Amino acid sequence: MPFAETPLRDEYAAAVERVARRTLDALRGDGGAAALADPDGAVPRPTLAALRVLGADLFAPQLLAGAAPDGPTAELLAQARQAFPAPNPAPDAATAPVDAALVIAWQDWAAGQVLARTPYGTGAPPPVPPPGPEAVGWQTWSVRMAQLSVLALPGLDGPVHDTARAHTLALARGTVRSMLRRDLPTAARLARWLAWAGAEGRPLRLEVEPVLERIRLAGNGSARTGLELAVAGRLLDRSSRPPADRRSRVR
């Protein structure tokens, strides 16, 4: 029933903002672990759902600082993944339609790759790659890449990243299109991919910092978008370092 579902949806959305805010605070601080559990140590179900949504981004403070993912956060994420299992398996053929299940499968893969570096998870082969811009057009592809922005972190690498490296112009076009449409959350996620590509030594085709600043000024103050902007900013810092100072990728 819609009237019963709306308060629950609002509660879960508020939990995502709360967890994103704690992660953002950790990222802006010393790069340590975020305080994700409540002060009494309890982890309510909405918080578990929020941990599930943020996935690998929970470890952004450590990964961007070149540190190992912390155990307490890994344990909480593993608990959240058990409480909220993935939906039906994603398509297993390259010709299958790209849908929400495939997006979630890639988000789960990213989280699993990080958890595999802790005692709370094991790695898994990547899902089937989403079609590239040659197959679906740069507009559709850029929207899909925005949904996969959690993959734009140091220490993650796979077919989605290979496509991002090869199509920075499409990422730039998608970013500009989102800005013109005033879809600032999507623009922030695509700018994050551009910043990641810059950290990989790829040509950006667009000045990212003015885009990030515009979103900061015109955005709605969402903690989740703020986290995207902060990750993008840190990745831009990495792109300005000499190649020898950049950390190697891990498949």
Side-chain angles (χ1 to χ4, degrees), residues 1-12:
M1 295 176 59
F3 295 106
E5 292 174 357
T6 299
L8 183 60
R9 188 182 302 115
D10 291 345
E11 184 178 0
Y12 277 49

Side-chain angles (χ1 to χ4, degrees), residues 125-141:
V128 58
E134 315 93 335
V136 298
W138 64 265
Q139 296 97 329
T140 298
W141 178 76

Side-chain angles (χ1 to χ4, degrees), residues 191-236:
R192 171 175 168 175
W193 269 117
L194 281 172
W196 175 88
E200 293 283 298
R202 305 301 298 169
L204 295 184
R205 313 296 184 98
L206 181 68
E207 291 188 40
V208 178
E209 183 53 47
V211 172
L212 301 181
E213 184 60 24
R214 175 60 181 169
I215 297 172
R216 291 187 192 102
L217 293 174
N220 61 5
S222 161
R224 195 171 181 195
T225 298
L227 182 58
E228 300 278 357
L229 295 175
V231 171
R234 290 294 183 89
L235 289 168
L236 279 180

